[in-house]
Amino acid sequence: GEVLTRIVAVPTAGAPSPPSSLQKARSAPTLTLRRAELPQESEAKAQRAEYRSGLADLLSHLDAQCEAKRKEHQRALWAAKAKEMANAGYQRSLVASRQLEKPAWTYVDTGGGFFERPQYEQGGSL
């Protein structure tokens, strides 16, 4: 069989230790700017926000149109499937009405004499 040996890793003195959660939180970037905003920069931000809101309005209108078109297409598919099923049922009923009545069931000995012939009741049931 295979023998496994347990190895314990000991950090060396020169290797940096992994940062603790407090150190990670302290080094996380902040979202505030460290310098005062320039007037051109704030104007550019306002234009960009206006552009994005207009774009979002256009895209939401297109999304609504696509959703309506998808639902209409789905309704058309359902209607076509229902019509096809109704036609198939109608055809089955036509074929069934045109067929002659089936003859009454009779016993057919296909066992070649290996099986016992069934005993039919001669009188009424009790």
Side-chain angles (χ1 to χ4, degrees), residues 55-70:
L55 186 61
D57 289 342
L58 287 174
L59 292 178
S60 66
H61 181 65
L62 287 175
D63 287 342
Q65 283 181 343
C66 287
E67 182 68 20
K69 186 175 182 179
R70 186 187 64 79

Side-chain angles (χ1 to χ4, degrees), residues 103-109 117 120:
W105 182 84
T106 58
Y107 178 77
V108 179
D109 185 18
R117 194 161 178 88
Y120 296 112

Side-chain angles (χ1 to χ4, degrees), residues 38-101:
L38 301 173
Q40 301 93 357
E41 192 173 7
S42 62
E43 185 181 327
K45 284 182 181 179
Q47 288 176 350
R48 189 174 21 212
E50 182 181 339
Y51 172 76
R52 286 182 179 168
S53 69
L55 186 61
D57 289 342
L58 287 174
L59 292 178
S60 66
H61 181 65
L62 287 175
D63 287 342
Q65 283 181 343
C66 287
E67 182 68 20
K69 186 175 182 179
R70 186 187 64 79
K71 284 184 179 180
E72 184 59 36
H73 181 66
Q74 192 173 31
R75 279 190 211 107
L77 288 177
W78 286 342
K81 185 176 180 182
K83 187 175 182 180
E84 182 179 322
M85 289 175 63
N87 283 339
Y90 179 67
Q91 291 300 323
R92 276 194 306 270
S93 68
L94 284 178
V95 168
S97 69
R98 290 178 186 152
Q99 287 182 346
L100 300 175
E101 278 193 42

Side-chain angles (χ1 to χ4, degrees), residues 16-29:
S17 63
S20 68
S21 61
L22 182 61
Q23 289 172 334
K24 287 180 186 176
R26 282 187 193 160
S27 66

